[in-house]
Amino acid sequence: MTQTATATFAKNISDDQINITPTAKNKLTELLSDTDSDIDGIRVYVSGGGCSGMQYGLTFSEGKTQYDSVYEGDGFNLMIDAFALAYMQGCEIDFQEQGANASFVFNNVFQAVGGSGSCGGCGSS
């Protein structure tokens, strides 16, 4: 008899899992209001590694996949696949403007996954 392993995870993301600041929520809503109708939400992605930890970013998404969990905000949907969500438990997403520079900032992500903050000399930062 063959058994199939099926991953199960929550399809909805709560404020207990990820904190999105009011400033970030406003910016996400603003960004989505200025897009084409094909865009269904904003996707959070995680990549890389090394001494500085994982790299986090955002991109527009045309829809969710079967592996996504969704944070439903007022005026925006934030989609995060199961892999990325595992690295984001307890993080805060903020939006900061400093002069001409403006960006989303992912706070507390390295600590959330037990990172030490020290370099082991692997050569991959």
Side-chain angles (χ1 to χ4, degrees):
M1 179 152 104
T2 305
Q3 291 183 330
T4 304
T6 305
T8 59
F9 53 92
K11 292 293 186 178
N12 295 313
I13 300 170
S14 70
D15 290 325
D16 294 336
Q17 292 174 285
I18 295 175
N19 177 34
I20 304 173
T21 67
T23 305
K25 288 178 180 181
N26 290 338
K27 190 63 176 181
L28 291 168
T29 301
E30 177 186 325
L31 288 171
L32 279 174
S33 70
D34 293 338
T35 63
D36 296 333
S37 60
D38 295 352
I39 303 300
D40 189 37
I42 296 176
R43 176 168 303 283
V44 176
Y45 63 88
V46 176
S47 64
C51 296
S52 59
M54 304 300 278
Q55 303 296 313
Y56 299 84
L58 302 167
T59 188
F60 290 115
S61 177
E62 293 181 353
K64 70 178 192 163
T65 72
Q66 64 183 355
Y67 306 107
D68 288 338
S69 294
V70 179
Y71 182 99
E72 295 180 4
D74 187 21
F76 70 92
N77 286 328
L78 197 65
M79 292 166 236
I80 307 174
D81 67 40
F83 174 81
L85 188 57
Y87 284 95
M88 297 185 64
Q89 295 296 315
C91 84
E92 175 188 76
I93 300 174
D94 192 13
F95 184 78
Q96 298 178 355
E97 293 184 82
Q98 297 175 345
N101 298 320
S103 65
F104 284 95
V105 178
F106 293 78
N107 295 313
N108 302 322
V109 287
F110 197 56
Q111 296 88 345
V113 294
S116 68
S118 64
C119 180
C122 68
S124 174
S125 327

